[in-house]
Amino acid sequence: MENQTGTTDVLRGKVVMVTGANAGMGQEISLALAGMGASVVMVSRDRGRGEAARADVESKTGNQEVEVLLADLSSQQSIRQLVNEFETAHNRLDVLVNNVGITLARRTETVDGVEAVFATNHLAAFLLTNLLLPTLKASAPSRIVTVSSSAHSMGKIDFDDLQSVRGYSEIRAYNASKLANVLFTYELARRLAGSGVTANVVEPGFVKTNLRVPFPFSLFSFMRGSPVNGARPTVFLASSAEVEGVSGTFFNQKGVATKSSKLSYDDDAARRLWALSAQLTSAG
């Protein structure tokens, strides 16, 4: 993974969208890409925090082509409004970074009646990506980068209880959502073959962010790395010429292509998850 320090013009003229951009890794990803000259659309649920993050990015990079769009990514209506607002202002999208993620101690349903961790961590990326695909294809070569976690290796998709109605565990729900990120990316890459749009998935490491760390992993919170370091592999995938044309690949926290979990290569599970996600979102 190449050095990403300093500012360059490698992304000048490119439009990038980053979700979960008002803090932590999302803000650092936005900062790095803005420093490369990109026009950055930072997606935030909260206007105040979003504007504060935008101002910080603009101040540190001198790049005035940084904006905030508001969206609650647990809400499908809000995601559709986000896409409409984006497409009203922009006629291209070169990079989409699906970074938003949550974990919840108790089972909660969204306004759409969907379990909130599954909705935010997986369905949001699924719906947002599918709605933006026409623009991404028209902007090709373009890239989709989805942030997963090493926790995906402990995940399992229970198709008989996809939304944890019968029993909810914070760790199990999070791990399953991160596995869903990988399955989604691999199936997306297969569907995009030959389109000029690439789709890859990244594991940023154990990073110190605002994301709640459930027990027993919270015992190891002192080992968490910085958001700057966690952002680096995503920035690499979003910007580097080294990965031009690379698709359907899992990258570790060092930006190295590597194998994901055995379950993540179950093509039947990926197709089944895609079909169910399409039903839940009326997309894809």
Side-chain angles (χ1 to χ4, degrees):
M1 185 168 62
E2 61 200 17
N3 190 344
Q4 299 165 341
T5 59
T7 58
T8 69
D9 285 329
V10 68
L11 294 181
R12 184 73 60 191
K14 305 291 187 181
V15 178
V16 176
M17 178 184 286
V18 182
T19 66
N22 61 261
M25 283 201 316
Q27 185 173 346
E28 295 296 341
I29 292 165
S30 300
L31 176 64
L33 297 177
M36 296 178 184
S39 297
V40 180
V41 178
M42 302 174 69
V43 179
S44 172
R45 187 173 62 176
D46 182 88
R47 182 178 298 279
R49 285 182 291 179
E51 285 298 336
R54 182 204 60 76
D56 181 71
V57 169
E58 183 177 306
S59 172
K60 289 178 177 176
T61 63
N63 185 342
Q64 297 185 351
E65 294 186 13
V66 182
E67 64 181 294
V68 173
L69 292 182
L70 299 180
D72 176 357
L73 296 181
S74 72
S75 163
Q76 295 178 25
Q77 180 181 1
S78 185
I79 292 171
R80 294 179 187 277
Q81 290 173 342
L82 167 65
V83 172
N84 288 337
E85 189 174 352
F86 172 81
E87 292 182 340
T88 297
H90 300 275
N91 60 8
R92 67 178 300 116
L93 179 60
D94 300 276
V95 182
L96 170 62
V97 178
N98 291 310
N99 168 71
V100 73
I102 65 168
T103 180
L104 296 172
R106 295 179 177 84
R107 186 182 187 277
T108 304
E109 290 191 355
T110 68
V111 293
D112 302 302
V114 180
E115 190 277 308
V117 173
F118 181 73
T120 306
N121 293 5
H122 167 62
L123 289 182
F126 179 88
L127 178 57
L128 181 61
T129 300
N130 274 287
L131 292 177
L132 288 171
L133 275 182
T135 305
L136 285 159
K137 288 178 178 179
S139 308
S142 53
R143 305 180 183 190
I144 301 162
V145 184
T146 298
V147 179
S148 180
S149 166
S150 60
H152 87 277
S153 63
M154 297 177 282
K156 181 179 180 181
I157 306 295
D158 184 354
F159 286 105
D160 294 323
D161 191 24
L162 197 59
Q163 297 187 49
S164 305
V165 174
R166 283 185 260 174
Y168 180 83
S169 158
E170 180 178 12
I171 293 175
R172 187 169 64 244
Y174 181 77
N175 293 351
S177 73
K178 295 292 100 180
L179 174 57
N181 291 154
V182 184
L183 290 166
F184 160 65
T185 297
Y186 290 166
E187 180 63 18
L188 177 64
R190 285 188 283 269
R191 291 170 180 254
L192 290 175
S195 70
V197 184
T198 60
N200 293 296
V201 61
V202 63
E203 186 267 299
F206 194 28
V207 180
K208 187 176 182 180
T209 68
N210 291 337
L211 189 69
R212 168 187 157 83
V213 180
F215 183 85
F217 301 109
S218 56
L219 296 174
F220 305 97
S221 290
F222 69 93
M223 299 174 62
R224 291 194 290 175
S226 71
V228 173
N229 288 335
R232 282 177 178 157
T234 299
V235 173
F236 170 70
L237 290 177
S239 63
S240 178
E242 292 182 31
V243 290
E244 183 69 46
V246 176
S247 192
T249 303
F250 183 90
F251 288 80
N252 66 17
Q253 66 267 37
K254 295 181 179 180
V256 176
T258 189
K259 291 287 186 181
S260 51
S261 71
K262 183 177 180 180
L263 290 178
S264 70
Y265 294 104
D266 186 335
D267 293 352
D268 290 337
R271 285 189 290 268
R272 188 176 180 186
L273 179 64
W274 186 285
L276 290 170
S277 301
Q279 291 175 13
L280 289 168
T281 60
S282 300

